[in-house]
């Protein structure tokens, strides 16, 4: 409950602090249609002995022109090939669900907060019993929307995991910073 109150307080501070900028604001086009925002992001990478893949669709609702709330689900897979450990080759599967809110402050620039629950399932030939761990990540940061038409945009965001633990490394992310790039499309949700 404390997390939800903290997230709501942060969003209120951002919303109230940005009212002075509204006269100079260039953000979402006035003609942007649609209250329902569909989209998400894909990711992939390779580093030494690690292969990474992720997909995270999201659905949001624009409460106002500037404020969007929504949910996202995600799946990511890490393949490790570690010759120096007793585990050898193994897979780590992350399934996540999150609630988020973002508020566009100025000219496509927005503040983002997110509370994410993640379950990690580890499997591999050297792992004899199933290993399952739960994580909770609270992410906060900034992003930028590049509008490409009256109802779509590409987003870039840099988030910081407020619950990242440097000592135990109990996080699905490789570090406290999370970078996302994705695409969203707004629809009106009304039947014709």
């Amino acid at each position: 409950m404390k997390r939800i109150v903290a997230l709501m307080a942060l969003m209120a501070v951002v919303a109230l602090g940005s009212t002075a900028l509204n006269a100079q604001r260039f953000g979402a086009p006035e003609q942007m249609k649609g209250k329902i925002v569909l989209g998400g992001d894909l990711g992939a990478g390779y580093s030494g002995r690690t292969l990474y893949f992720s997909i995270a669709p999201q659905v949001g609702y624009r409460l106002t022109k500037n404020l969007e709330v929504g949910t996202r689900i995600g799946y990511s897979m890490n393949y490790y090939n570690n010759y120096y450990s007793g585990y050898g080759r193994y897979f780590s599967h992350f399934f996540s669900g999150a609630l988020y809110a973002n508020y566009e402050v100025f000219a496509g620039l927005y503040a983002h907060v997110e509370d994410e629950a993640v379950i990690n399932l580890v499997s591999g030939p050297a792992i004899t019993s199933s290993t399952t761990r739960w994580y909770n990540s609270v992410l906060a940061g900034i992003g930028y929307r590049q509008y490409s038409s009256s109802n779509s945009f590409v987003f870039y965001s840099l988030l910081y995991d407020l619950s990242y633990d440097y000592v135990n490394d109990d996080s699905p992310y490789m570090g406290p910073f999370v970078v996302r790039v994705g695409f969203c499309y707004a629809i009106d949700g009304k039947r014709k």
Side-chain angles (χ1 to χ4, degrees), residues 10-96:
L10 180 62
M11 289 303 296
V13 167
V14 170
L16 292 174
S18 67
T19 55
L21 294 174
N22 277 341
Q24 304 172 20
R25 206 176 162 284
F26 303 107
E30 293 295 331
Q31 72 275 14
M32 184 163 175
K33 297 174 178 52
K35 292 272 191 188
I36 300 171
V37 181
L38 304 173
D41 56 88
L42 291 170
Y46 176 76
S47 172
R49 296 181 294 266
T50 304
L51 178 65
Y52 171 79
F53 168 78
S54 72
I55 183 169
Q58 69 185 41
V59 176
Y61 184 78
R62 295 174 59 220
L63 295 174
T64 66
K65 179 181 168 189
N66 299 348
L67 179 62
E68 176 188 331
V69 295
T71 184
R72 60 186 274 126
I73 58 172
Y75 168 75
S76 64
M77 181 273 302
N78 293 339
Y79 168 73
Y80 301 96
N81 192 356
N82 192 347
Y83 300 109
Y84 305 109
S85 76
Y87 292 116
R89 292 182 226 165
Y90 64 97
F91 289 92
S92 190
H93 304 277
F94 296 96
F95 299 92
S96 65

Side-chain angles (χ1 to χ4, degrees), residues 130-150:
S130 65
T131 303
T132 304
R133 291 190 288 183
W134 282 92
Y135 304 98
N136 193 339
S137 298
V138 177
L139 304 163
I142 60 170
Y144 178 72
R145 291 179 176 162
Q146 182 176 1
Y147 293 96
S148 56
S149 72
S150 63

Side-chain angles (χ1 to χ4, degrees), residues 110 144-148 152-156 181-184:
Y110 63 90
Y144 178 72
R145 291 179 176 162
Q146 182 176 1
Y147 293 96
S148 56
S152 65
F153 57 88
V154 175
F155 67 88
Y156 313 91
V181 177
F183 177 80
C184 286

